PDB file of all heavy atoms in Angstrom:
ATOM      1  N   ALA A 129       8.897 -24.831  11.313  1.00  0.00           N
ATOM      2  CA  ALA A 129       9.817 -25.757  10.708  1.00  0.00           C
ATOM      3  C   ALA A 129       9.365 -26.180   9.300  1.00  0.00           C
ATOM      4  O   ALA A 129      10.200 -26.535   8.444  1.00  0.00           O
ATOM      5  CB  ALA A 129       9.965 -27.005  11.594  1.00  0.00           C
ATOM      6  N   GLN A 130       8.069 -26.161   9.025  1.00  0.00           N
ATOM      7  CA  GLN A 130       7.527 -26.642   7.773  1.00  0.00           C
ATOM      8  C   GLN A 130       7.199 -25.542   6.765  1.00  0.00           C
ATOM      9  O   GLN A 130       6.960 -25.824   5.595  1.00  0.00           O
ATOM     10  CB  GLN A 130       6.261 -27.451   8.026  1.00  0.00           C
ATOM     11  CG  GLN A 130       6.465 -28.708   8.844  1.00  0.00           C
ATOM     12  CD  GLN A 130       5.149 -29.426   9.118  1.00  0.00           C
ATOM     13  OE1 GLN A 130       4.104 -29.086   8.551  1.00  0.00           O
ATOM     14  NE2 GLN A 130       5.178 -30.414   9.994  1.00  0.00           N
ATOM     15  N   ALA A 131       7.146 -24.307   7.210  1.00  0.00           N
ATOM     16  CA  ALA A 131       6.579 -23.207   6.394  1.00  0.00           C
ATOM     17  C   ALA A 131       7.289 -23.090   5.042  1.00  0.00           C
ATOM     18  O   ALA A 131       6.617 -23.019   3.999  1.00  0.00           O
ATOM     19  CB  ALA A 131       6.642 -21.896   7.160  1.00  0.00           C
ATOM     20  N   SER A 132       8.594 -23.052   5.020  1.00  0.00           N
ATOM     21  CA  SER A 132       9.306 -22.847   3.749  1.00  0.00           C
ATOM     22  C   SER A 132       9.005 -23.953   2.751  1.00  0.00           C
ATOM     23  O   SER A 132       8.866 -23.691   1.544  1.00  0.00           O
ATOM     24  CB  SER A 132      10.805 -22.762   4.012  1.00  0.00           C
ATOM     25  OG  SER A 132      11.160 -21.588   4.712  1.00  0.00           O
ATOM     26  N   THR A 133       8.909 -25.186   3.227  1.00  0.00           N
ATOM     27  CA  THR A 133       8.616 -26.297   2.345  1.00  0.00           C
ATOM     28  C   THR A 133       7.220 -26.204   1.763  1.00  0.00           C
ATOM     29  O   THR A 133       7.001 -26.372   0.550  1.00  0.00           O
ATOM     30  CB  THR A 133       8.788 -27.638   3.078  1.00  0.00           C
ATOM     31  OG1 THR A 133      10.101 -27.712   3.622  1.00  0.00           O
ATOM     32  CG2 THR A 133       8.560 -28.816   2.144  1.00  0.00           C
ATOM     33  N   VAL A 134       6.234 -25.913   2.595  1.00  0.00           N
ATOM     34  CA  VAL A 134       4.838 -25.801   2.139  1.00  0.00           C
ATOM     35  C   VAL A 134       4.704 -24.608   1.194  1.00  0.00           C
ATOM     36  O   VAL A 134       3.994 -24.706   0.181  1.00  0.00           O
ATOM     37  CB  VAL A 134       3.887 -25.711   3.336  1.00  0.00           C
ATOM     38  CG1 VAL A 134       2.465 -25.414   2.878  1.00  0.00           C
ATOM     39  CG2 VAL A 134       3.953 -26.990   4.149  1.00  0.00           C
ATOM     40  N   GLU A 135       5.343 -23.509   1.498  1.00  0.00           N
ATOM     41  CA  GLU A 135       5.311 -22.359   0.572  1.00  0.00           C
ATOM     42  C   GLU A 135       5.860 -22.756  -0.784  1.00  0.00           C
ATOM     43  O   GLU A 135       5.250 -22.428  -1.825  1.00  0.00           O
ATOM     44  CB  GLU A 135       6.148 -21.226   1.152  1.00  0.00           C
ATOM     45  CG  GLU A 135       5.560 -20.542   2.398  1.00  0.00           C
ATOM     46  CD  GLU A 135       6.564 -19.687   3.144  1.00  0.00           C
ATOM     47  OE1 GLU A 135       7.717 -19.596   2.686  1.00  0.00           O
ATOM     48  OE2 GLU A 135       6.190 -19.139   4.199  1.00  0.00           O
ATOM     49  N   ALA A 136       6.977 -23.470  -0.804  1.00  0.00           N
ATOM     50  CA  ALA A 136       7.593 -23.867  -2.081  1.00  0.00           C
ATOM     51  C   ALA A 136       6.681 -24.812  -2.864  1.00  0.00           C
ATOM     52  O   ALA A 136       6.636 -24.744  -4.108  1.00  0.00           O
ATOM     53  CB  ALA A 136       8.948 -24.514  -1.797  1.00  0.00           C
ATOM     54  N   ILE A 137       5.998 -25.695  -2.172  1.00  0.00           N
ATOM     55  CA  ILE A 137       5.073 -26.606  -2.856  1.00  0.00           C
ATOM     56  C   ILE A 137       3.964 -25.829  -3.539  1.00  0.00           C
ATOM     57  O   ILE A 137       3.671 -26.031  -4.732  1.00  0.00           O
ATOM     58  CB  ILE A 137       4.482 -27.623  -1.868  1.00  0.00           C
ATOM     59  CG1 ILE A 137       5.580 -28.549  -1.337  1.00  0.00           C
ATOM     60  CG2 ILE A 137       3.361 -28.439  -2.512  1.00  0.00           C
ATOM     61  CD1 ILE A 137       5.133 -29.402  -0.135  1.00  0.00           C
ATOM     62  N   LEU A 138       3.332 -24.929  -2.813  1.00  0.00           N
ATOM     63  CA  LEU A 138       2.227 -24.157  -3.395  1.00  0.00           C
ATOM     64  C   LEU A 138       2.733 -23.253  -4.515  1.00  0.00           C
ATOM     65  O   LEU A 138       2.028 -23.058  -5.523  1.00  0.00           O
ATOM     66  CB  LEU A 138       1.545 -23.333  -2.307  1.00  0.00           C
ATOM     67  CG  LEU A 138       0.705 -24.136  -1.316  1.00  0.00           C
ATOM     68  CD1 LEU A 138       0.274 -23.247  -0.132  1.00  0.00           C
ATOM     69  CD2 LEU A 138      -0.541 -24.723  -1.996  1.00  0.00           C
ATOM     70  N   GLU A 139       3.910 -22.703  -4.372  1.00  0.00           N
ATOM     71  CA  GLU A 139       4.488 -21.850  -5.431  1.00  0.00           C
ATOM     72  C   GLU A 139       4.678 -22.650  -6.708  1.00  0.00           C
ATOM     73  O   GLU A 139       4.333 -22.187  -7.804  1.00  0.00           O
ATOM     74  CB  GLU A 139       5.815 -21.281  -4.962  1.00  0.00           C
ATOM     75  CG  GLU A 139       5.712 -20.244  -3.856  1.00  0.00           C
ATOM     76  CD  GLU A 139       7.016 -19.981  -3.142  1.00  0.00           C
ATOM     77  OE1 GLU A 139       8.064 -20.601  -3.507  1.00  0.00           O
ATOM     78  OE2 GLU A 139       7.043 -19.149  -2.227  1.00  0.00           O
ATOM     79  N   GLN A 140       5.221 -23.853  -6.573  1.00  0.00           N
ATOM     80  CA  GLN A 140       5.458 -24.702  -7.763  1.00  0.00           C
ATOM     81  C   GLN A 140       4.147 -25.146  -8.401  1.00  0.00           C
ATOM     82  O   GLN A 140       4.008 -25.126  -9.639  1.00  0.00           O
ATOM     83  CB  GLN A 140       6.280 -25.907  -7.355  1.00  0.00           C
ATOM     84  CG  GLN A 140       6.662 -26.832  -8.551  1.00  0.00           C
ATOM     85  CD  GLN A 140       7.429 -28.039  -8.083  1.00  0.00           C
ATOM     86  OE1 GLN A 140       6.847 -28.971  -7.535  1.00  0.00           O
ATOM     87  NE2 GLN A 140       8.725 -28.057  -8.292  1.00  0.00           N
ATOM     88  N   GLN A 141       3.186 -25.509  -7.589  1.00  0.00           N
ATOM     89  CA  GLN A 141       1.885 -25.915  -8.123  1.00  0.00           C
ATOM     90  C   GLN A 141       1.212 -24.769  -8.871  1.00  0.00           C
ATOM     91  O   GLN A 141       0.664 -24.970  -9.971  1.00  0.00           O
ATOM     92  CB  GLN A 141       1.002 -26.416  -6.996  1.00  0.00           C
ATOM     93  CG  GLN A 141       1.460 -27.735  -6.367  1.00  0.00           C
ATOM     94  CD  GLN A 141       0.681 -28.108  -5.116  1.00  0.00           C
ATOM     95  OE1 GLN A 141      -0.058 -27.274  -4.546  1.00  0.00           O
ATOM     96  NE2 GLN A 141       0.821 -29.345  -4.669  1.00  0.00           N
ATOM     97  N   LEU A 142       1.230 -23.587  -8.285  1.00  0.00           N
ATOM     98  CA  LEU A 142       0.599 -22.447  -8.940  1.00  0.00           C
ATOM     99  C   LEU A 142       1.323 -22.071 -10.223  1.00  0.00           C
ATOM    100  O   LEU A 142       0.700 -21.767 -11.257  1.00  0.00           O
ATOM    101  CB  LEU A 142       0.545 -21.253  -7.994  1.00  0.00           C
ATOM    102  CG  LEU A 142      -0.114 -19.971  -8.556  1.00  0.00           C
ATOM    103  CD1 LEU A 142      -1.553 -20.247  -9.003  1.00  0.00           C
ATOM    104  CD2 LEU A 142      -0.068 -18.855  -7.521  1.00  0.00           C
ATOM    105  N   ALA A 143       2.665 -22.118 -10.206  1.00  0.00           N
ATOM    106  CA  ALA A 143       3.434 -21.800 -11.417  1.00  0.00           C
ATOM    107  C   ALA A 143       3.079 -22.753 -12.544  1.00  0.00           C
ATOM    108  O   ALA A 143       2.952 -22.318 -13.706  1.00  0.00           O
ATOM    109  CB  ALA A 143       4.924 -21.842 -11.098  1.00  0.00           C
ATOM    110  N   SER A 144       2.916 -24.010 -12.234  1.00  0.00           N
ATOM    111  CA  SER A 144       2.549 -24.981 -13.285  1.00  0.00           C
ATOM    112  C   SER A 144       1.185 -24.656 -13.900  1.00  0.00           C
ATOM    113  O   SER A 144       1.014 -24.733 -15.114  1.00  0.00           O
ATOM    114  CB  SER A 144       2.526 -26.402 -12.688  1.00  0.00           C
ATOM    115  OG  SER A 144       3.818 -26.782 -12.248  1.00  0.00           O
ATOM    116  N   LEU A 145       0.236 -24.254 -13.059  1.00  0.00           N
ATOM    117  CA  LEU A 145      -1.095 -23.905 -13.559  1.00  0.00           C
ATOM    118  C   LEU A 145      -1.049 -22.640 -14.410  1.00  0.00           C
ATOM    119  O   LEU A 145      -1.704 -22.538 -15.428  1.00  0.00           O
ATOM    120  CB  LEU A 145      -2.051 -23.721 -12.400  1.00  0.00           C
ATOM    121  CG  LEU A 145      -2.545 -25.011 -11.741  1.00  0.00           C
ATOM    122  CD1 LEU A 145      -3.360 -24.677 -10.492  1.00  0.00           C
ATOM    123  CD2 LEU A 145      -3.420 -25.821 -12.694  1.00  0.00           C
ATOM    124  N   ILE A 146      -0.301 -21.642 -13.947  1.00  0.00           N
ATOM    125  CA  ILE A 146      -0.161 -20.392 -14.670  1.00  0.00           C
ATOM    126  C   ILE A 146       0.388 -20.650 -16.072  1.00  0.00           C
ATOM    127  O   ILE A 146      -0.128 -20.139 -17.086  1.00  0.00           O
ATOM    128  CB  ILE A 146       0.721 -19.411 -13.907  1.00  0.00           C
ATOM    129  CG1 ILE A 146       0.007 -18.938 -12.645  1.00  0.00           C
ATOM    130  CG2 ILE A 146       1.107 -18.207 -14.788  1.00  0.00           C
ATOM    131  CD1 ILE A 146       0.918 -18.202 -11.652  1.00  0.00           C
ATOM    132  N   GLU A 147       1.424 -21.478 -16.153  1.00  0.00           N
ATOM    133  CA  GLU A 147       2.013 -21.775 -17.460  1.00  0.00           C
ATOM    134  C   GLU A 147       1.065 -22.565 -18.316  1.00  0.00           C
ATOM    135  O   GLU A 147       0.989 -22.370 -19.531  1.00  0.00           O
ATOM    136  CB  GLU A 147       3.327 -22.526 -17.231  1.00  0.00           C
ATOM    137  CG  GLU A 147       4.393 -21.637 -16.597  1.00  0.00           C
ATOM    138  CD  GLU A 147       5.609 -22.395 -16.098  1.00  0.00           C
ATOM    139  OE1 GLU A 147       5.672 -23.632 -16.268  1.00  0.00           O
ATOM    140  OE2 GLU A 147       6.509 -21.747 -15.498  1.00  0.00           O
ATOM    141  N   ALA A 148       0.272 -23.483 -17.709  1.00  0.00           N
ATOM    142  CA  ALA A 148      -0.707 -24.255 -18.478  1.00  0.00           C
ATOM    143  C   ALA A 148      -1.781 -23.334 -19.025  1.00  0.00           C
ATOM    144  O   ALA A 148      -2.358 -23.604 -20.111  1.00  0.00           O
ATOM    145  CB  ALA A 148      -1.316 -25.336 -17.606  1.00  0.00           C
ATOM    146  N   GLN A 149      -2.111 -22.246 -18.311  1.00  0.00           N
ATOM    147  CA  GLN A 149      -3.145 -21.308 -18.755  1.00  0.00           C
ATOM    148  C   GLN A 149      -2.601 -20.276 -19.744  1.00  0.00           C
ATOM    149  O   GLN A 149      -3.363 -19.475 -20.292  1.00  0.00           O
ATOM    150  CB  GLN A 149      -3.737 -20.586 -17.545  1.00  0.00           C
ATOM    151  CG  GLN A 149      -4.509 -21.457 -16.565  1.00  0.00           C
ATOM    152  CD  GLN A 149      -5.784 -22.008 -17.151  1.00  0.00           C
ATOM    153  OE1 GLN A 149      -6.434 -21.350 -17.966  1.00  0.00           O
ATOM    154  NE2 GLN A 149      -6.168 -23.196 -16.710  1.00  0.00           N
ATOM    155  N   GLY A 150      -1.314 -20.268 -19.978  1.00  0.00           N
ATOM    156  CA  GLY A 150      -0.709 -19.340 -20.949  1.00  0.00           C
ATOM    157  C   GLY A 150      -0.481 -17.930 -20.403  1.00  0.00           C
ATOM    158  O   GLY A 150      -0.199 -17.020 -21.192  1.00  0.00           O
ATOM    159  N   LEU A 151      -0.580 -17.736 -19.085  1.00  0.00           N
ATOM    160  CA  LEU A 151      -0.316 -16.412 -18.504  1.00  0.00           C
ATOM    161  C   LEU A 151       1.184 -16.253 -18.246  1.00  0.00           C
ATOM    162  O   LEU A 151       1.615 -16.054 -17.107  1.00  0.00           O
ATOM    163  CB  LEU A 151      -1.106 -16.235 -17.208  1.00  0.00           C
ATOM    164  CG  LEU A 151      -2.630 -16.263 -17.312  1.00  0.00           C
ATOM    165  CD1 LEU A 151      -3.268 -16.255 -15.947  1.00  0.00           C
ATOM    166  CD2 LEU A 151      -3.105 -15.083 -18.128  1.00  0.00           C
ATOM    167  N   THR A 152       1.938 -16.304 -19.317  1.00  0.00           N
ATOM    168  CA  THR A 152       3.390 -16.370 -19.168  1.00  0.00           C
ATOM    169  C   THR A 152       4.074 -15.207 -19.855  1.00  0.00           C
ATOM    170  O   THR A 152       3.488 -14.490 -20.689  1.00  0.00           O
ATOM    171  CB  THR A 152       3.933 -17.667 -19.793  1.00  0.00           C
ATOM    172  OG1 THR A 152       3.558 -17.722 -21.177  1.00  0.00           O
ATOM    173  CG2 THR A 152       3.359 -18.884 -19.084  1.00  0.00           C
ATOM    174  N   THR A 153       5.315 -15.000 -19.489  1.00  0.00           N
ATOM    175  CA  THR A 153       6.217 -14.064 -20.150  1.00  0.00           C
ATOM    176  C   THR A 153       7.441 -14.840 -20.592  1.00  0.00           C
ATOM    177  O   THR A 153       8.108 -15.462 -19.773  1.00  0.00           O
ATOM    178  CB  THR A 153       6.635 -12.931 -19.189  1.00  0.00           C
ATOM    179  OG1 THR A 153       5.457 -12.255 -18.714  1.00  0.00           O
ATOM    180  CG2 THR A 153       7.547 -11.940 -19.905  1.00  0.00           C
ATOM    181  N   ALA A 154       7.686 -14.875 -21.876  1.00  0.00           N
ATOM    182  CA  ALA A 154       8.775 -15.674 -22.449  1.00  0.00           C
ATOM    183  C   ALA A 154       8.658 -17.149 -22.020  1.00  0.00           C
ATOM    184  O   ALA A 154       9.661 -17.821 -21.776  1.00  0.00           O
ATOM    185  CB  ALA A 154      10.137 -15.109 -22.025  1.00  0.00           C
ATOM    186  N   GLY A 155       7.414 -17.616 -21.930  1.00  0.00           N
ATOM    187  CA  GLY A 155       7.165 -19.030 -21.656  1.00  0.00           C
ATOM    188  C   GLY A 155       7.194 -19.438 -20.205  1.00  0.00           C
ATOM    189  O   GLY A 155       7.019 -20.621 -19.905  1.00  0.00           O
ATOM    190  N   VAL A 156       7.393 -18.511 -19.284  1.00  0.00           N
ATOM    191  CA  VAL A 156       7.432 -18.856 -17.860  1.00  0.00           C
ATOM    192  C   VAL A 156       6.472 -17.932 -17.078  1.00  0.00           C
ATOM    193  O   VAL A 156       6.113 -16.849 -17.544  1.00  0.00           O
ATOM    194  CB  VAL A 156       8.838 -18.740 -17.257  1.00  0.00           C
ATOM    195  CG1 VAL A 156       9.794 -19.689 -17.974  1.00  0.00           C
ATOM    196  CG2 VAL A 156       9.364 -17.304 -17.353  1.00  0.00           C
ATOM    197  N   ALA A 157       6.083 -18.409 -15.896  1.00  0.00           N
ATOM    198  CA  ALA A 157       5.244 -17.572 -15.035  1.00  0.00           C
ATOM    199  C   ALA A 157       6.081 -16.414 -14.517  1.00  0.00           C
ATOM    200  O   ALA A 157       7.104 -16.625 -13.862  1.00  0.00           O
ATOM    201  CB  ALA A 157       4.713 -18.391 -13.871  1.00  0.00           C
ATOM    202  N   TRP A 158       5.655 -15.174 -14.823  1.00  0.00           N
ATOM    203  CA  TRP A 158       6.391 -13.999 -14.379  1.00  0.00           C
ATOM    204  C   TRP A 158       5.431 -12.943 -13.864  1.00  0.00           C
ATOM    205  O   TRP A 158       4.445 -12.633 -14.503  1.00  0.00           O
ATOM    206  CB  TRP A 158       7.224 -13.408 -15.526  1.00  0.00           C
ATOM    207  CG  TRP A 158       8.038 -12.244 -15.052  1.00  0.00           C
ATOM    208  CD1 TRP A 158       7.737 -10.916 -15.129  1.00  0.00           C
ATOM    209  CD2 TRP A 158       9.293 -12.334 -14.363  1.00  0.00           C
ATOM    210  NE1 TRP A 158       8.710 -10.172 -14.547  1.00  0.00           N
ATOM    211  CE2 TRP A 158       9.678 -11.013 -14.063  1.00  0.00           C
ATOM    212  CE3 TRP A 158      10.113 -13.377 -13.983  1.00  0.00           C
ATOM    213  CZ2 TRP A 158      10.867 -10.727 -13.397  1.00  0.00           C
ATOM    214  CZ3 TRP A 158      11.287 -13.087 -13.303  1.00  0.00           C
ATOM    215  CH2 TRP A 158      11.654 -11.770 -13.027  1.00  0.00           C
TER     216      TRP A 158
END
Side-chain angles (χ1 to χ4, degrees):
Q130 297 177 9
S132 292
T133 303
V134 173
E135 291 165 2
I137 293 168
L138 288 170
E139 290 164 0
Q140 184 182 75
Q141 291 172 346
L142 180 58
S144 296
L145 284 173
I146 290 167
E147 291 167 4
Q149 295 292 328
L151 296 173
T152 59
T153 302
V156 299
W158 183 264

